[in-house]
Amino acid sequence: MNKKPVRRSSKQREAVMCAVEELNDHPTADMIFLKVRQSNPSVSLSTVYRNLGVLVEEGDLIAVKGPGSEVHYDYNVSNHCHIQCRICGKVSDIDFKPVEYVSMLPEQASGFHVDGVSVTFTGKCSQCLKSKKGVINEY
Ligand SMILES: [Zn+2]
Ligand SMILES: [Zn+2]
């Protein structure tokens, strides 16, 4: 009765979710893929991408898109701000008051009905500032 192929994909979804939580600091799909591979050697990158897509759609994960091309994933789905390093692309949470959007009226938002907010600051992380890489990129 309950033997649909859905079962298998939800098991993989769980593995993807676990990997995001274990990696903890806003990992990219590639990082998540490598982590999932450790316990599921047969899993493919496209499976990981597909499951990440479903998890984002269902609100279990947030996709953080900064100025770079890579998407980072966050299991903390509460309203919070991020900062991304311009040099290495690392994403971290930032201790900054989240932008209040729940009370925003369509008149304030070009007629849009606002249902979310995504704020990503940019800067240089402490590691890049310390390394030569950061200095070179300064000029
Ligand atoms: Zn950096
Ligand atoms: Zn975050």
Side-chain angles (χ1 to χ4, degrees):
M1 295 192 300
N2 262 333
K3 278 186 181 170
K4 284 188 207 163
V6 175
R7 264 195 148 180
R8 199 178 156 208
S9 74
S10 69
K11 201 179 167 192
Q12 287 171 333
R13 201 165 303 155
E14 234 169 74
V16 168
M17 192 67 195
C18 278
V20 177
E21 286 179 10
E22 273 171 44
L23 291 163
N24 197 26
D25 204 10
H26 311 88
T28 61
D30 284 343
M31 291 156 79
I32 295 159
F33 172 58
L34 290 174
K35 183 82 186 167
V36 173
R37 274 292 272 260
Q38 289 174 6
S39 43
N40 301 273
S42 61
V43 82
S44 67
L45 182 59
S46 62
T47 301
V48 169
Y49 268 115
R50 196 177 58 240
N51 282 295
L52 283 170
V54 173
L55 286 163
V56 170
E57 214 165 277
E58 289 180 354
D60 292 321
L61 289 178
I62 292 177
V64 183
K65 295 168 197 137
S69 57
E70 273 196 302
V71 180
H72 296 251
Y73 295 89
D74 194 354
Y75 64 90
N76 176 6
V77 294
S78 68
N79 183 9
H80 65 286
C81 301
H82 291 108
I83 188 159
Q84 183 167 39
C85 178
R86 285 186 185 282
I87 296 160
C88 68
K90 176 187 163 66
V91 172
S92 295
D93 289 341
I94 197 167
D95 184 12
F96 190 81
K97 193 170 155 280
V99 177
E100 178 54 54
Y101 65 89
V102 176
S103 59
M104 197 180 279
L105 300 166
E107 302 82 271
Q108 295 169 278
S110 302
F112 281 56
H113 289 257
V114 182
D115 64 5
V117 63
S118 156
V119 178
T120 304
F121 294 79
T122 55
K124 294 184 183 106
C125 76
S126 54
Q127 271 171 318
C128 287
L129 279 173
K130 263 186 259 166
S131 74
K132 272 185 187 165
K133 243 172 130 190
V135 175
I136 289 165
N137 271 271
E138 203 74 66
Y139 300 102

